[in-house]
Amino acid sequence: MTPAVGPEDGATNVTLHGTNFVAMSAADGMLVCRFGDAMVNATFVSGAALRCTAPPAALALAGATLVGSGAVLVQMSLNRQEFYSGAPFAYMPRTGTLLPPVPSSKGLRGGSVALVARSTALDPHFA
């Protein structure tokens, strides 16, 4: 499965790799991916690939069994009932998320200093 990580707000296009996938119409709604407890429609790409869009973490993580820190199991189904083995997908904060300021000290001549940090969890420049 690629990618195996995406932002908490979802909308990541995820490709599931395998063999012998069957071409089905997305309109019938039977070909689905399940991220934790959230089902989303899947699109047939080829006999070796399906594509689906990750739902927001709030939907996927609600009631789901976690397979790591912020990660859920992604599975696929051809009938919305029988799900096939999957792989973990981790939700991370978006790049540039500002974290709450943390007061760190008072200045000697008045005023104060606050630490403001930015999350770089999904920023390739900081990987």
Side-chain angles (χ1 to χ4, degrees), residues 94-122:
R94 275 221 181 260
T95 300
T97 301
L98 287 178
L99 303 174
V102 177
S104 56
S105 66
K106 294 239 180 224
L108 294 175
R109 297 183 186 183
S112 61
V113 177
L115 173 65
V116 177
R118 179 174 74 102
S119 169
T120 58
L122 295 177

Side-chain angles (χ1 to χ4, degrees), residues 50-62:
L50 299 176
R51 185 165 297 127
C52 46
T53 302
L59 295 176
L61 297 171

Side-chain angles (χ1 to χ4, degrees), residues 31-90:
L31 185 61
V32 295
C33 293
R34 183 170 65 186
F35 287 74
D37 282 349
M39 271 196 282
V40 295
N41 288 332
T43 302
F44 175 83
V45 176
S46 71
L50 299 176
R51 185 165 297 127
C52 46
T53 302
L59 295 176
L61 297 171
T65 301
L66 299 181
V67 293
S69 179
V72 295
L73 191 62
V74 178
Q75 299 172 297
M76 62 81 55
S77 175
L78 302 174
N79 62 12
R80 291 183 159 259
Q81 295 177 15
E82 299 168 300
F83 287 85
Y84 297 93
S85 62
F89 181 84

Side-chain angles (χ1 to χ4, degrees), residues 2-41:
T2 54
V5 64
E8 291 172 323
D9 56 352
T12 301
N13 287 323
V14 176
T15 302
L16 280 70
H17 304 279
T19 58
N20 301 319
F21 289 137
V22 178
M24 297 177 79
S25 167
D28 68 15
M30 298 303 281
L31 185 61
V32 295
C33 293
R34 183 170 65 186
F35 287 74
D37 282 349
M39 271 196 282
V40 295
N41 288 332

